[in-house]
Amino acid sequence: MERGEVWSAQFDEERPVVLLQGGAGPEFPAMQIVEPVTPAQKLGFVWMSGEQAADADERRRIVEEFGPEVLIGIEVFFGAEEGLAESGVVRVVLPRAGKVFCTWRTTVGEESLTKRIGALSPAKQHELDIALALADGQWAAADTTR
């Protein structure tokens, strides 16, 4: 099991995940790949793609345009290139004082990983790394990653 691999995992139902760490197990940190936000879910948020988040200048422009009080989310898109039959996203929301947001970060046991689907390209891994660093409040790390 390697970092950046996409697997089908058994939870309450079969769901795709991307491994955040590799190794020998027995458990792995992972993010669930979910459906993109719907128009109703977009209300009250500004959403940027993983590509926009990975571009420090574009990210700063978006944050400056909408201001520090606006809730900003990032969706890193995954599809056929990562081995998925249906497109999905890893979705995070940038932290704001007094707000706690749900992510689909989880720990999966090796026994729950049912089938290797694919793997992230270096560019897609970079987008995911940036999104996770920003969601963890590590703005400086996100500006120096890569």
Side-chain angles (χ1 to χ4, degrees), residues 113-125:
L113 298 172
T114 58
K115 180 181 176 189
R116 185 182 184 276
I117 298 172
L120 304 185
S121 67
K124 195 58 75 169
Q125 183 67 58

Side-chain angles (χ1 to χ4, degrees), residues 4 8-9 16 20 42 46 56 58-59 63-64 82-83 99 107 143:
S8 186
L20 301 179
K42 287 183 180 183
V46 171
E58 178 66 1
R59 184 176 67 242
V63 171
E64 288 172 5
E82 291 77 33
K99 305 266 186 205
T107 301
D143 286 336

Side-chain angles (χ1 to χ4, degrees), residues 24-137:
E27 293 185 325
F28 302 92
M31 287 288 289
Q32 289 185 43
I33 299 172
V34 299
E35 293 179 2
V37 293
T38 65
Q41 292 169 322
K42 287 183 180 183
L43 296 177
F45 289 85
V46 171
W47 290 95
M48 67 175 98
S49 69
E51 289 179 341
Q52 290 173 310
D55 180 327
D57 292 334
E58 178 66 1
R59 184 176 67 242
R60 278 189 210 95
R61 183 195 67 73
I62 290 169
V63 171
E64 288 172 5
E65 178 180 340
F66 292 98
E69 298 306 313
V70 171
L71 300 174
I72 298 176
I74 301 171
E75 288 189 321
V76 179
F77 290 87
F78 298 105
E81 289 181 10
E82 291 77 33
L84 295 173
E86 295 182 28
S87 296
V89 299
V90 165
R91 183 183 319 131
V92 298
V93 178
L94 304 186
R96 291 289 180 248
K99 305 266 186 205
V100 177
F101 299 99
C102 175
T103 64
W104 286 267
R105 193 176 303 205
T106 188
T107 301
V108 293
E110 192 170 356
E111 71 283 352
S112 297
L113 298 172
T114 58
K115 180 181 176 189
R116 185 182 184 276
I117 298 172
L120 304 185
S121 67
K124 195 58 75 169
Q125 183 67 58
H126 179 66
E127 288 180 29
L128 181 59
D129 291 343
I130 294 293
L132 293 173
L134 292 168
D136 288 341

